[in-house]
Amino acid sequence: MSGPIIVGTDGSAGATAAVEWAADDAARTGLPLRVVTAVLRRPYDIPRSIVLEEDVITRDARRVLAEAEATARARRPLVEVSTALIEGAASLVLRDQGQGAEEVVIGTRGLGGFAAALLGSVSMHVAGHAHCPVVVVRPVTGPARDEITVGVDDSDACEPALAYAFHQAGLRGATLRAVHAWQLPVHAFAPEVAYAMDDIRAAQYAVVADRLAAWRRKYPGVDLVEDVRCAHPVDALVEASQGGDLVVVGSHGRGGLGSLLLGSVSRGVLHHARCTVAVVRS
């Protein structure tokens, strides 16, 4: 059996949207939902002259958990919901909670973020470190568009992202748009170099067809659109996100530093996509 769906909350509007998304996904998958709040303590949090059985920070965190649990139960009454209050930095707590989980769901930006920030530091850290899919929920208005976008390239690293995207499309009955973006080599613009553009385009379409062939057979009921573009991958995926409910990207990052564990494409899509993004590490 798969692990639970983990959703982090801090009581912010973004976290509430994440709880709602996670409850919906728990209902689709039949998995339990675990709502997590992290409490980070410092020596100056509580004045020494005040002695309480339960300090203010803990009491507030329990209130946040109770409200999030009520939101999830009201939205999806049949989903099994549990809660956990865990001491530690939110980014580390949610990263660790991802071990054995089906996915970790978080908002784009919590209470601690800067107003102008497109993506919070917690979201970036968890997406770069968790070993399960991380869903960063961007609140949107209006009805569902019933379309999911997934990035496709010629490497095996995109296979986990394809698996997640096809599974989500099958559960939702949504169209799956497989976007493959390619760019001309720099020397292709040199007049002395002869390039057969038709051959290049045909080769790019072949990359997508070969990569998707096995998934077509596994999910014959999924309506699949092959979207091959001459563009930067971030630009292509961000543009496609405007007409969808979810963008799924793989992460090719191999660096030792936190931000480098996300590839440049996944970082760019997380910052600029117009809908929810799922990052699926290989």
Side-chain angles (χ1 to χ4, degrees):
M1 179 179 176
S2 298
I5 292 174
I6 304 295
V7 60
T9 183
D10 61 1
S12 65
T16 298
V19 170
E20 292 173 345
W21 196 99
D24 289 345
D25 211 39
R28 281 189 290 265
T29 58
L31 295 173
L33 176 64
R34 190 180 197 206
V35 185
V36 175
T37 289
V39 174
L40 182 60
R41 299 181 182 281
R42 298 181 179 89
Y44 50 80
D45 282 332
I46 303 297
R48 294 182 181 179
S49 59
I50 299 177
V51 178
L52 300 172
E53 285 188 20
E54 186 175 55
D55 63 64
V56 175
I57 294 175
T58 302
R59 191 164 64 240
D60 186 61
R62 294 193 185 283
R63 176 188 58 77
V64 167
L65 271 180
E67 290 175 354
E69 180 181 9
T71 296
R73 292 187 184 280
R75 189 172 182 91
R76 295 292 180 176
L78 298 181
V79 168
E80 178 187 337
V81 182
S82 62
T83 62
L85 192 157
I86 302 174
E87 292 201 21
S91 56
L92 301 181
V93 167
L94 292 172
R95 179 201 67 187
D96 293 344
Q97 286 290 301
Q99 297 183 23
E102 178 74 7
E103 63 192 11
V104 173
V105 184
I106 47 181
T108 50
R109 186 165 52 83
L111 292 174
F114 292 101
L118 293 173
L119 190 71
S121 59
V122 172
S123 305
M124 183 65 77
H125 180 94
V126 178
H129 287 81
H131 293 289
C132 65
V134 176
V135 180
V136 181
V137 177
R138 180 168 276 107
V140 294
T141 57
R145 297 153 181 167
D146 296 326
E147 181 171 294
I148 293 172
T149 297
V150 61
V152 183
D153 60 24
D154 59 356
S155 73
D156 291 338
C158 74
E159 289 293 303
L162 287 171
Y164 184 91
F166 269 92
H167 183 58
Q168 283 285 329
L171 290 173
R172 297 163 180 248
T175 297
L176 180 59
R177 179 176 297 275
V179 174
H180 174 66
W182 58 280
Q183 294 177 288
L184 286 172
V186 174
H187 58 272
F189 298 97
E192 66 274 13
V193 178
Y195 255 87
M197 292 303 299
D198 289 343
D199 291 343
I200 295 176
R201 291 190 183 93
Q204 299 302 323
Y205 277 97
V207 166
V208 177
D210 291 346
R211 182 63 62 185
L212 297 177
W215 293 106
R216 281 185 180 275
R217 292 191 294 270
K218 186 173 182 179
Y219 290 90
V222 170
D223 182 14
L224 181 64
V225 176
E226 295 183 11
D227 188 341
V228 181
R229 312 183 187 192
C230 182
H232 190 281
V234 173
D235 294 336
L237 289 166
V238 169
E239 183 179 345
S241 74
Q242 297 181 34
D245 303 308
L246 175 68
V247 175
V248 183
V249 291
S251 178
H252 298 193
R254 300 175 181 85
L257 298 176
S259 63
L260 297 181
L261 289 172
L262 282 173
S264 59
V265 172
S266 50
R267 283 202 310 273
V269 174
L270 274 171
H271 276 287
H272 300 295
R274 298 295 183 264
C275 66
T276 294
V277 178
V279 177
V280 184
R281 293 179 58 79
S282 58

